Amino acid sequence: MTEISFPDGFLWGTATSAHQIEGGNFNNDWWDWEHNPDSGCAESSGDACDSLHRWSEDIELVAAMGLGAYRFSLEWSRIEPAEGEFSIAALDYYRRICAACRERDIAPVVTFHHFTLPKWLSARGGWEAPDGPDAFARFVTRATRGIGDIVGWACTINEPSVIASMGYSVGSSPPGVKGDLARHLAVNEALVRAHRLAVDVLRSGPGDFPVGLSASMDEFVAEPGGEAVCEAARDILEGTFLRATSGDDFVGIQCYTRQHFGPSGPAPDDPDVPTTQMGYEYWPQVVEHCARRAAAATGLPVLVTENGIASDDDDERIAYLAEALRGVERCLDDGVDIRGYFVWSLLDNFEWGHGFRPKFGLHSVDRDTFIRHPKPSALWFGEVARANGLVAPPA
């Protein structure tokens, strides 16, 4: 029985990122960060899911679910291990991933930057380096020359607001700066410039595919007296990057939960709302809220490039995803142009500073053998994709 149906051509997918699944990305800033005992990281990414060698297995998992798209990222430090020195072998590796997707009628959705920087760039300031955006544009130029003709969709930068806020205000990501709003805002602007440069490059290179940004979004809640602070935070964390999408082909949104703000800044979550393994409020209605706001703010088609839940309870995962999809359907009924929905994540993978404990995956991964096992949520989501509609969870 199909509870609700989705438009013809609606894109069903799942997502990963290079550092979180490949393993052995020792030439980037995150590898150094997770090995720094003062960083607060739970553990190293190590071999991650060994997808550097098992990438074809991952694509078979996507195909087995009947999905039409697979979103993954390029590891800049593999492709440009030293400044101006590009690896043909690394580009061929990512080209094989794209080609294997194409052979299975899966659209390769390529993210050109997903949090990690090559060590040579981080050593001279990363996104604070005067030529940081230009270095990124040069990388995108060379990568596009290698794979652009078989890209399905392109996301320039993954969650730029998270790069800036976690790196320069919260201090939980490289370079670990805490409470420096001026540097945070400067990095925001550098990331906006990098995005705009990358859009121009992607449109001028080989291939013809939609280009956009993957923006991190939350439902912002102003507690009594926190209205001004909430609005200011929303503008810094979201408005900056939604405005940067002007002229793009779509806006990607990545949403998981709510944030609360009081008169002096972030406020506690609602104690009556359960939380996930990430400490987030269980809030699947965030997708509907953010899709409406992104569409209204940008006037662009929306692609839900990430949504999911960290949980050991797979029934909870299915319930969360189902409620999120009901919100997508309500948006569609009201004329919001949503083109597709991607579950984070294909695999239980390395969740940055949290290590491997949070389980977002539709598939589990044995930490010793790397064998992948589909969870009931993978089978259910595959049925949803094949039906192009919300079906009942498994009994």
Side-chain angles (χ1 to χ4, degrees):
M1 295 290 292
T2 302
E3 177 184 329
I4 53 177
S5 297
F6 290 82
D8 291 344
F10 192 82
L11 195 62
W12 297 98
T14 186
T16 62
S17 89
H19 191 74
Q20 293 177 268
I21 66 169
E22 285 181 348
N25 278 325
F26 54 82
N27 200 30
N28 69 37
D29 60 341
W30 255 96
W31 184 271
D32 281 353
W33 181 251
E34 66 205 38
H35 286 85
N36 177 351
D38 297 324
S39 70
C41 288
E43 57 191 315
S44 162
S45 58
D47 291 322
C49 301
D50 193 33
S51 290
L52 183 65
H53 303 105
R54 300 169 187 266
W55 61 268
S56 61
E57 295 177 35
D58 296 341
I59 295 171
E60 290 303 330
L61 297 178
V62 177
M65 285 188 287
L67 304 183
Y70 175 43
R71 178 175 173 254
F72 60 94
S73 73
L74 309 182
E75 175 54 36
W76 185 354
S77 69
R78 288 191 188 277
I79 294 171
E80 191 179 4
E83 185 168 8
E85 182 178 317
F86 294 92
S87 168
I88 296 171
L91 282 168
D92 284 347
Y93 161 69
Y94 291 111
R95 185 173 181 87
R96 288 196 298 274
I97 294 174
C98 290
C101 286
R102 290 290 194 180
E103 289 167 5
R104 292 158 181 78
D105 294 324
I106 297 167
V109 181
V110 179
T111 301
F112 282 76
H113 182 272
H114 196 124
F115 289 172
T116 60
L117 287 173
K119 286 185 180 179
W120 57 261
L121 182 56
S122 65
R124 54 185 181 83
W127 291 113
E128 292 185 287
D131 65 339
D134 298 290
F136 179 62
R138 181 185 62 204
F139 158 69
V140 174
T141 300
R142 185 64 185 87
T144 304
R145 194 185 313 158
I147 67 171
D149 60 310
I150 53 174
V151 167
W153 296 61
C155 301
T156 57
I157 301 174
N158 179 82
E159 297 184 343
S161 67
V162 174
I163 296 169
S165 63
M166 296 301 174
Y168 295 89
S169 284
V170 179
S172 60
S173 296
V177 176
K178 295 182 179 180
D180 196 324
L181 182 59
R183 291 174 74 181
H184 179 167
L185 296 178
V187 169
N188 270 7
E189 293 308 310
L191 289 162
V192 167
R193 182 166 181 267
H195 167 67
R196 296 308 330 157
L197 289 171
V199 170
D200 290 343
V201 167
L202 289 162
R203 286 178 169 167
S204 63
D208 183 13
F209 44 82
V211 180
L213 177 80
S214 291
S216 174
M217 299 185 71
D218 292 310
E219 183 172 337
F220 284 71
V221 179
E223 303 298 345
E227 292 79 7
V229 171
C230 183
E231 189 55 40
R234 179 161 42 207
D235 190 65
I236 291 170
L237 296 172
E238 293 184 359
T240 299
F241 299 104
L242 294 178
R243 289 189 292 273
T245 65
S246 178
D248 292 357
D249 299 308
F250 69 95
V251 57
I253 64 169
Q254 314 202 159
C255 38
Y256 294 89
T257 189
R258 297 191 298 182
Q259 290 193 57
H260 299 256
F261 291 88
S264 58
D269 290 340
D270 186 337
D272 295 326
V273 176
T275 57
T276 73
Q277 288 179 324
M278 293 290 286
Y280 300 163
E281 285 187 331
Y282 179 97
W283 202 252
Q285 48 269 59
V286 68
V287 176
E288 178 178 2
H289 178 91
C290 293
R292 291 182 186 276
R293 194 165 76 246
T298 66
L300 296 173
V302 173
L303 196 65
V304 182
T305 43
E306 283 186 25
N307 176 241
I309 181 176
S311 177
D312 277 324
D313 182 345
D314 207 51
D315 290 337
E316 183 178 50
R317 186 181 335 281
I318 292 171
Y320 179 98
L321 298 177
E323 186 54 38
L325 288 171
R326 292 185 186 101
V328 170
E329 194 266 345
R330 288 190 290 270
C331 289
L332 291 165
D333 281 350
D334 289 342
V336 179
D337 186 0
I338 302 178
R339 301 291 175 89
Y341 176 88
F342 289 66
V343 172
W344 182 269
S345 173
L346 175 66
L347 307 171
D348 285 339
N349 53 210
F350 177 72
E351 281 299 330
W352 308 106
H354 297 272
F356 291 95
R357 186 185 66 85
K359 307 302 184 192
F360 276 97
L362 295 169
H363 299 79
S364 63
V365 179
D366 187 290
R367 297 301 318 140
D368 295 318
T369 66
F370 304 110
I371 293 173
R372 285 89 159 110
H373 297 283
K375 300 177 185 178
S377 57
L379 305 177
W380 170 80
F381 190 61
E383 291 180 8
V384 169
R386 290 186 177 94
N388 200 32
L390 185 59
V391 300

